[in-house]
Each structure stands twice: as C-alpha cells, then as structure tokens.
Amino acid sequence: MFNKLSQVIAYYQEYHLTKHKYQYRADSLGYFDTYNLSDLMKRHVKEYANIRRVDVSNATINRELSFARAAINCVNEDYELKINNPFEKIKFVEADYIPNYLNRSEYDRLLLAALDTDNHTLYDFIVLLTMTGCRPIEILTLQWSNVHIDKNQFIVRNAYSKSKRTMYKYLNNTARDILLKRREYGGSHVFTNPATGKRYTTFTKTFARCKKRAGLNCTMYDLRHTYASWLVQKGVSIYTVKDLLGHGDIESTMRYAHLDYEQYVSAVDLID
C-alpha cells in the first residue's frame, strides 16, 4: 500500500494537512520514487540534497526533508507500521539569518508613500501587518466573523496559520482604529474588494511600488519582523513575543533576542 514516498505524502496531505498541501515540496520529493521506501537510505537523502543545493538553500532542503519525515511518521502512527524513515536525524547547516526590520522613520516613510498614491487600503494593510505581527495571508483571509473588537482581539483559524494552530491576535489602539474604520466598508472579509465583493488576494504589486517610492528595500514579511523587533526593544519578554507571533518553539523567536541590547550592555557594565 505504501511502497513509494509519494504514496505516503499523498496520505499525509489528504488526512493530516489542512488547506496548505505544500504540493511544491511533494513535487520535489518525487525524486525518491526511483526507490522503494524499504530501499531508501540516508545516502540517498544526501545525494538528493546535493542535487537540490544547485537551486535552493539548505533551509529549503531542510523543510522538504522535514515534510517527508513527517509524512512517514504520520503513516507509521496511523497504520501502526514501521516504515523505514531515512529522513530522521538529517539536518543541513543553514546560513545565518538576520531578520530585516524597519525603524520608526522608515515605517513612517512607507505609510506616507501609500498615502501619496491615495492607496488607503494598502495603508491599512501595512498598519495591520506591523501592529499585529501577522503574516500577509493571515490578514488577507481574515473574516469579520473572527474579529472581536470589543475584546481587542481577532482569531486566525488554523487553516490559515502556518503552525496549523488557531491563534489569537491582540489589538493595540492603532490596529483597533484601523479595524473600526474598515468595518464601515462592509463585506465578509476585513479586506474586501468593493469592485468585486470578494477579498483581496494580494498587494504584491502595489506594495512594490510603495516601497520603491519610499526608497526602502523590504518585504511585507519584514513588517512581521518589525513587530517582533519593536516589542523586544521595548523590553517585552522573548517568551511573550513567542506567544504573540504564534511560534511553535522559542528557537524561532530567539533570532530577535539580540535586539534587547540594553540589558546586555548593562550586564557587561557591571564588570567595568
């Protein structure tokens, strides 16, 4: 029944994953269907990595291997099998990653650039990304039925959460004001296109023009980094930041820890 990795992945996609099937990972892992699962060895995995490394980073390869590993583990658990899993305990060294974030001046320039083009929808989108730390897809798919302004929070359903967990996002006054304003526009989604009555699916092109106008080199995802960075710089506990971002483990959040540099400067001053 499960002779090939693709069969295992198909089961994993159908019965374990939500709307995100990661088909692009499954397609890449089709490489392993040259072998039966029982014949797969770690050397085959390392050969695959060498081939993929021509086009992608070790970080991407690690995610693909993690996907394959999880698929086999899922089938083994559900069917009480012991399928060989050569993807276990293989992780390649990833390049150092330092998140890019905006300072207040750069953030203000970005907002001003959106207003200069009279794009108030993009302005609202940028503000909500920065003030909630959400991923773009989490804001784009946000429905009013999941917004609770009276509680200063909204819910990101697990189908749209990267961690596959339902998350509660909390509103500061700035984010709350944006939502109150957008509620007057109607529609089922916070970002409903008035011309079509359907939600906006992307702001990629308008954001690219906006950041160029502002003279900035950033991505929409950098606004999530900005949210985390500003929290850390204000002295918020890294564990609280972890929960606010919805990270599954503290390791992902620790990339921001160095930004709380004042406590480290104070510490070394003790021996001056």
Side-chain angles (χ1 to χ4, degrees):
M1 183 177 181
F2 297 107
N3 295 317
K4 302 290 186 179
L5 180 61
S6 61
Q7 296 170 329
V8 170
I9 289 174
Y11 176 87
Y12 181 62
Q13 290 174 312
E14 179 69 21
Y15 295 104
H16 181 76
L17 300 183
T18 54
K19 291 187 178 181
H20 299 290
K21 303 299 183 183
Y22 299 104
Q23 188 58 44
Y24 56 94
R25 293 180 185 170
D27 292 341
S28 295
L29 291 164
Y31 167 91
F32 292 104
D33 273 6
T34 306
Y35 312 94
N36 288 327
L37 277 172
S38 58
D39 297 327
L40 271 179
M41 301 180 184
K42 291 189 183 297
R43 69 177 180 86
H44 296 132
V45 178
K46 292 178 180 179
E47 289 169 0
Y48 168 81
N50 283 336
I51 294 172
R52 289 290 285 148
R53 203 168 282 123
V54 174
D55 299 310
V56 301
S57 67
N58 277 353
T60 297
I61 295 169
N62 284 337
R63 288 177 177 81
E64 292 170 353
L65 301 186
S66 177
F67 183 74
R69 179 168 59 249
I72 294 176
N73 287 338
C74 177
V75 167
N76 278 339
E77 182 175 350
D78 288 1
Y79 281 85
E80 299 182 13
L81 300 174
K82 294 183 179 180
I83 296 174
N84 172 47
N85 196 339
F87 303 97
E88 292 283 6
K89 297 181 180 178
I90 292 185
K91 185 174 182 179
F92 298 101
V93 177
E94 299 180 10
D96 288 340
Y97 175 73
I98 300 176
N100 180 43
Y101 66 94
L102 305 184
N103 58 38
R104 283 283 177 174
S105 175
E106 292 169 331
Y107 172 67
D108 290 340
R109 279 162 48 197
L110 190 65
L111 293 180
L112 183 59
L115 292 180
D116 282 346
T117 57
D118 203 31
N119 196 332
H120 292 271
T121 301
L122 178 62
Y123 175 95
D124 293 348
F125 188 66
I126 291 171
V127 171
L128 280 180
L129 286 179
T130 310
M131 294 298 157
T132 65
C134 281
R135 302 173 178 88
I137 189 62
E138 294 169 351
I139 295 294
L140 286 169
T141 55
L142 180 61
Q143 296 181 324
W144 284 114
S145 58
N146 290 319
V147 177
H148 305 287
I149 294 179
D150 58 320
K151 297 179 181 178
N152 287 320
Q153 66 180 208
F154 61 81
I155 303 171
V156 176
R157 296 293 179 178
N158 66 349
Y160 300 105
S161 164
K162 185 178 179 181
S163 63
K164 304 299 181 294
R165 294 182 290 111
T166 296
M167 296 187 302
Y168 290 84
K169 307 296 289 189
Y170 301 94
L171 306 173
N172 60 18
N173 290 333
T174 303
R176 189 173 186 275
D177 289 345
I178 291 291
L179 288 172
L180 285 171
K181 180 181 70 173
R182 294 208 62 79
R183 191 163 61 179
E184 299 175 1
Y185 299 152
S188 59
H189 289 78
V190 172
F191 284 91
T192 297
N193 187 333
T196 64
K198 299 179 180 179
R199 72 171 180 87
Y200 286 97
T201 57
T202 182
F203 288 103
T204 301
K205 291 182 179 179
T206 53
F207 185 80
R209 290 194 293 268
C210 179
K211 70 178 183 181
K212 183 177 181 180
R213 188 182 185 90
L216 297 171
N217 182 21
C218 63
T219 68
M220 283 186 279
Y221 206 92
D222 288 339
L223 301 179
R224 175 173 165 85
H225 297 320
T226 299
Y227 169 81
S229 300
W230 288 358
L231 287 173
V232 171
Q233 290 177 67
K234 288 294 185 180
V236 177
S237 161
I238 199 72
Y239 292 96
T240 299
V241 174
K242 167 188 172 294
D243 293 339
L244 290 172
L245 288 172
H247 283 160
D249 58 72
I250 193 64
E251 183 179 346
S252 299
T253 321
M254 287 304 294
R255 67 182 65 168
Y256 304 106
H258 73 283
L259 294 168
D260 187 14
Y261 54 84
E262 288 189 6
Q263 68 164 314
Y264 299 112
V265 172
S266 298
V268 297
D269 274 348
L270 294 175
I271 58 171
D272 189 0

